[in-house]
Amino acid sequence: MGSSESSLYQKQLSRFLPDELVDIDGVFSALSGSDGPVEGKGGKATKRTVTLATFKAYVKEALPESMIVRLYNGMKSVKVSEKPSVPSDQVGKEQFVVFMAALTKGYAEEKSDIVMNMISKVEGTIKGSQILEFSEDLVGSLVHVLKHRNELKGWTLQNTQDPTAGIRPLASQLVSELKLPDGKKVEGALITDAVCDKSSLEDWVFRVPQVSAFLNVIVRQGLLILQSLPDQAEDTLHLLPRCKGVRGSGFVSLLNIPAITYLNSHLPAEVQHRWRLLFASRLHGESFTQLLGHIVGKGPCLLVVKDSDGYVFGGFASRSWEAKPQFQGDSRCFLFSVSPSLSVFTCTGYNDHFMYLNHGQQTMPNGLGMGGQHNYFGLWIDSDYGKGHSKAKPRCTTYNSPQLSAQEEFKLDALEVWAVGDPPESDTTEKGKKSVLDADPEAQALLEMIGKSRQSEGLRESAEEEEEEEN
């Protein structure tokens, strides 16, 4: 190609390492169906190109057809020269390289140009409804390709909720961050009729990191390209945590894969790589004492609640739970909603009532709470297991969260708790440590009196089982 190569193309080439360029050349050769220049009229070599048909044939079942078409439209829209060019239905090598550079190494401005053309083939403004449709395709394609490539990291469609039920809530959450050209946000259903321009889309891609991260994984896993790209390996690692502690239990989480991905993105980076099931009411019994025995001193935790009306919500505790009549935790804690809508509510700075856990006190509330104040928590699980509240009208002072449950005072249907990140050192060195039941014979006797001893006994993992689960 030599002097015929555009300066833009040369600039994009320089962003890749030599090994990465070899990988890109190999994939393009496979896409174009040729290992070298194709002979044209008069014996002259013509440039290799990719058609939509050859692109579909290469990707096969790795991605939904709708996303394959969107990616192809994105590639086809790439301009490699400032000179006017005749529109073509085929993708050249230069366009492919610029496309890969923009999506894997580019800035928000570069990515937004491509995303704009993936959303609509017509230049100009786009509607919020088109962005929502694109976002649903994005989330659905992410789940699809991770499942197809066996990259779900221990999560399965059997141990989680139906992922299709989580696609629209996550897509809606992503689109809710969209701002109009005047800088204002549009709330609720009005977003579908909103008209956005290129600057609005660029701002959205810049402020919502999931858009770039999801596209990155879709392209690299869908095309099996740039698998060893160092800076992108971290994105894949943190996108979905490795699931631990559920093997052979028949456990089914209250969460779906899109929700897991979204919640994990809000956790501190150092704990995003691993979730380990600590407690599930349907496995370990409906007992507050059992809950304490499984979560105290276990490091940062994610608490997930389902009420009797089907609402799913919870909170992230940034530090190990301690049973004491004082507030604990720090500003990394947050509350969240999964169903009927997906949202995360971070701390406001108004107070430090992040976490509260108390048991066996006569003068202080007994239970687990996050946010708000005594008797008016953003999320509360009473020590009289089975009931709780979310008193946040108009908003929780600590997290600015609304009422999370369907009813202010709710009945608990199910509860699960996940330890995130690596276990604390004290937990790994004291596998045989006694539980709250062992330390509190009176509580154990009480459970036996009300007929719950069979749920509470015999469910603690042995040291050997935990060590096997780690491997």
Side-chain angles (χ1 to χ4, degrees), residues 246-464:
V246 303
R247 187 171 55 189
S249 66
F251 167 78
V252 179
S253 175
L254 299 172
L255 300 173
N256 53 60
I257 290 169
I260 292 167
T261 301
Y262 184 68
L263 294 176
N264 199 54
S265 71
H266 287 80
L267 298 178
E270 64 271 17
V271 299
Q272 290 181 353
H273 61 286
R274 181 177 182 272
W275 289 19
R276 178 169 60 101
L277 184 68
L278 292 180
F279 176 84
S281 58
R282 290 170 182 171
L283 290 179
H284 302 100
E286 298 177 349
S287 158
F288 191 76
T289 306
Q290 270 290 328
L291 172 64
L292 262 64
H294 282 82
I295 71 172
V296 169
K298 301 295 184 179
C301 295
L302 204 71
L303 180 95
V304 188
V305 177
K306 182 181 180 183
D307 69 17
S308 58
D309 291 295
Y311 280 40
V312 180
F313 49 93
F316 167 61
S318 60
R319 294 182 181 176
S320 285
W321 285 102
E322 297 178 55
K324 60 181 183 180
Q326 291 89 34
F327 284 99
Q328 49 195 293
D330 59 37
S331 60
R332 296 174 298 170
C333 296
F334 58 79
L335 292 180
F336 60 85
S337 169
V338 171
S339 178
S341 62
L342 183 62
S343 293
V344 165
F345 307 99
T346 55
C347 72
T348 62
Y350 182 82
N351 58 38
D352 60 358
H353 298 175
F354 307 114
M355 302 160 51
Y356 177 89
L357 180 62
N358 197 33
H359 182 56
Q361 294 270 333
Q362 293 185 346
T363 58
M364 300 291 285
N366 291 312
L368 182 153
M370 296 189 70
Q373 57 184 320
H374 294 317
N375 302 317
Y376 292 91
F377 285 92
L379 170 59
W380 174 256
I381 305 297
D382 201 90
S383 62
D384 181 8
Y385 192 90
K387 61 184 182 181
H389 72 241
S390 179
K391 296 181 179 179
K393 292 182 178 179
R395 291 272 172 168
C396 170
T397 54
T398 311
Y399 297 110
N400 197 37
S401 55
Q403 179 179 302
L404 301 173
S405 49
Q407 309 294 327
E408 189 174 79
E409 302 271 356
F410 64 84
K411 291 182 179 180
L412 194 61
D413 178 68
L415 172 66
E416 64 190 49
V417 184
W418 297 87
V420 296
D422 296 322
E425 188 174 338
S426 59
D427 188 36
T428 58
T429 57
E430 298 179 23
K431 296 287 185 182
K433 188 176 180 180
K434 292 183 177 181
S435 76
V436 172
L437 277 180
D438 298 318
D440 191 349
E442 184 178 345
Q444 185 176 12
L446 178 61
L447 288 174
E448 290 173 355
M449 287 174 61
I450 61 176
K452 291 190 176 181
S453 59
R454 292 180 63 187
Q455 291 178 326
S456 303
E457 290 294 334
L459 289 167
R460 281 168 284 177
E461 293 177 335
S462 67
E464 290 80 7

Side-chain angles (χ1 to χ4, degrees), residues 218-240:
I218 287 167
V219 169
R220 290 190 297 111
Q221 292 290 344
L223 276 63
L224 290 178
I225 192 170
L226 301 178
Q227 296 291 295
S228 60
L229 199 60
D231 54 339
Q232 305 305 332
E234 288 298 307
D235 283 346
T236 306
L237 173 67
H238 291 168
L239 194 62
L240 197 63

Side-chain angles (χ1 to χ4, degrees), residues 11-21 24 96-102 104-105 226 229:
K11 181 180 178 181
Q12 302 306 324
L13 279 177
S14 67
R15 292 172 123 172
F16 293 108
L17 299 172
D19 288 347
E20 293 169 355
L21 288 174
I24 290 172
F96 182 70
V97 170
V98 174
F99 173 85
M100 291 303 305
T104 62
K105 295 175 178 284
L226 301 178
L229 199 60

Side-chain angles (χ1 to χ4, degrees), residues 70 111-135 175 178-181 186 190-205 211:
R70 288 186 188 276
K111 293 175 183 177
S112 63
D113 285 339
I114 291 174
V115 170
M116 191 93 172
N117 286 282
M118 289 177 68
I119 294 173
S120 173
K121 291 188 289 185
V122 179
E123 292 189 7
T125 57
I126 51 178
K127 282 191 171 183
S129 57
Q130 292 175 290
I131 301 175
L132 179 60
E133 186 180 343
F134 165 76
S135 298
V175 175
L178 196 64
K179 290 183 179 179
L180 297 179
V186 180
L190 294 175
I191 192 69
T192 58
D193 294 323
V195 178
C196 304
D197 60 11
K198 182 182 173 182
S199 64
S200 299
L201 197 70
E202 182 181 335
D203 174 74
W204 182 62
V205 171
V211 177

Side-chain angles (χ1 to χ4, degrees), residues 159-174:
N159 65 21
T160 57
Q161 299 296 312
D162 181 4
T164 58
I167 291 174
R168 184 66 183 253
L170 179 49
S172 297
Q173 171 57 35
L174 299 180

Side-chain angles (χ1 to χ4, degrees), residues 89-109:
D89 282 334
Q90 298 181 343
V91 175
K93 174 72 174 294
E94 293 184 3
Q95 289 176 301
F96 182 70
V97 170
V98 174
F99 173 85
M100 291 303 305
L103 288 191
T104 62
K105 295 175 178 284
Y107 300 107
E109 181 181 3

